[in-house]
């Protein structure tokens, strides 16, 4: 359902941003010997959609008590007698400020803050807030005082050990402390991660000056996400020729993007196709998410990429192929149509000899250029030529770049 939603989305960057946050605040469907209930992952995806362009600090607060996150990182097992440090560590290391910005003592104290939260998953479990909703178990919460990053969270008595007060005075306070003490680190960490996702994944290709500007903007806007994303995607740097065609398409981008370009519904299960390319929506390989970059292309995944794309093109009818060509103003001019298809499906202009091959060998099927109008009138021969161009694109290395 998510892949289909991506295919139909009017503004592709919105769904790409949803996927970014899903791979940032990670939760694996299959974890340890079991799985996270799909209902919880759906609710988490809904939260991500509601928060993707909002305030990042509030996002961090909300995801902390998200049911899927609580189950995934052991939050439902976190008690005052046996604190679970998983989420407290990842909240700082992977989700906000990064390595080197906290101590082991901070992790232990954060774990104490996070004790006592549960999720109503099964029929034999309490569900005070409804099915699959997060709730608070006072006996399991460590009500003592805590100190995180040098700042204190006061102790509480039985009367104040309630769901509302612990959420507002401990959970929210924990996140507030991290954002207050490590504001610069958070701004840098998130800006760099967004840059690598939208511009260039290579660590050596990161423009530190741009990262610094992004981080400053993020802080100045009190960690509002929308201004940060809007500024980056409208910047001259984003559209710089040096940043075009350098990023390997993720399996999600490859599968959804090609289907969108063709205006063609998936002919194979999109989720299965992505999985064959080593990316499964809502099921990253580990808490760090997908490594990406060069890892997307291997002797295993490359044939599967080509197979998916070829199947999609092969399933196109003659009329669909002709309609694809007709979306370009000069489709009756074979040379201009070939150039338009190159610009639409490939990230950068091709060299003359390659253009000549796509035009003469593929589109025209070795016929003289003046025969193109006749091929269009025939329909079948034009569709055959357009399909040949697409099949030739699929074999090109730069077809996998964006």
């Amino acid at each position: 359902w998510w892949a289909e939603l991506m295919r139909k989305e009017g503004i592709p960057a919105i769904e790409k941003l949803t996927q970014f946050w899903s791979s940032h605040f990670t939760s694996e469907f299959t974890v340890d010997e079991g799985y996270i209930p799909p209902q919880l992952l759906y609710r988490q995806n809904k939260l991500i959609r509601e928060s993707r362009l909002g305030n990042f600090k509030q996002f961090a607060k909300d995801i902390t008590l998200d049911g899927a996150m609580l189950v995934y990182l052991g939050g439902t097992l976190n008690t005052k007698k046996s604190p679970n440090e998983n989420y407290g560590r990842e909240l700082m290391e992977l989700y906000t400020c990064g390595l080197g910005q906290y101590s082991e003592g901070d992790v232990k104290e954060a774990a104490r803050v996070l004790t006592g939260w549960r999720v109503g998953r099964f029929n034999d479990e309490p569900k005070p807030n409804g099915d699959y909703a997060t709730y608070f178990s006072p006996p399991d919460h460590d009500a003592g005082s805590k100190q995180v990053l040098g700042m204190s969270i006061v102790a509480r008595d039985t009367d104040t050990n309630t769901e509302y007060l612990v959420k507002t005075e401990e959970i929210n306070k924990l996140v507030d402390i991290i954002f207050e003490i490590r504001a610069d680190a958070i701004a840098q960490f998130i800006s760099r991660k967004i840059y690598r996702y939208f511009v260039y994944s290579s660590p050596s290709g990161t423009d530190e000056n741009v990262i610094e500007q992004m981080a400053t903007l993020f802080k100045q806007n009190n960690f509002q996400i929308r201004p940060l994303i809007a500024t980056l995607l409208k910047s001259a740097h984003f559209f710089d020729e040096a940043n075009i065609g350098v990023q390997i398409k993720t399996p999600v981008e490859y599968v959804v993007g090609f289907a969108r370009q063709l205006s063609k519904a998936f002919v194979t299960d999109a989720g299965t196709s992505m999985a064959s390319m080593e990316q499964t929506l809502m099921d990253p390989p580990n808490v760090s998410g997908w490594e990406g970059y060069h890892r997307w292309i291997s002797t295993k995944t490359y044939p599967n990429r080509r197979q998916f794309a070829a199947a999609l093109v092969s399933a196109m009818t003659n009329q669909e192929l002709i309609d694809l060509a007709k979306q370009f103003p000069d489709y009756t001019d074979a040379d201009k149509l070939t150039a338009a298809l190159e610009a639409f499906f490939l990230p950068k202009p091709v060299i003359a000899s390659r253009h000549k091959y796509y035009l003469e060998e593929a589109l025209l099927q070795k016929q003289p250029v003046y025969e193109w109008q006749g091929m269009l009138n025939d329909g079948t021969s034009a569709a055959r030529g357009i399909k040949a161009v697409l099949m030739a694109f699929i074999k090109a290395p730069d077809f996998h770049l964006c």
Side-chain angles (χ1 to χ4, degrees), residues 323-337:
D323 288 344
L324 173 66
K326 285 184 175 180
Q327 69 180 285
F328 302 105
D330 297 311
Y331 74 93
T332 57
D333 184 311
D335 185 68
K336 291 181 179 178
L337 173 60

Side-chain angles (χ1 to χ4, degrees), residues 275-289:
S276 74
M277 304 171 201
E278 300 188 343
Q279 185 173 35
T280 302
L281 289 172
M282 299 187 186
D283 197 15
N286 53 57
V287 70
S288 298

Side-chain angles (χ1 to χ4, degrees), residues 77-91:
L77 306 175
N78 193 4
T79 68
K80 63 183 179 183
K81 292 182 178 180
S82 182
N84 186 301
E85 299 177 4
N86 287 352
Y87 184 77
R89 182 182 306 279
E90 307 309 356
L91 173 62

Side-chain angles (χ1 to χ4, degrees), residues 224-246:
Q224 290 293 330
I225 300 167
R226 184 183 292 272
L228 178 64
I229 298 297
T231 300
L232 175 64
L233 299 188
K234 293 177 182 178
S235 68
H237 181 77
F238 183 75
F239 291 98
D240 192 302
E241 191 66 23
N243 294 322
I244 304 297
V246 297

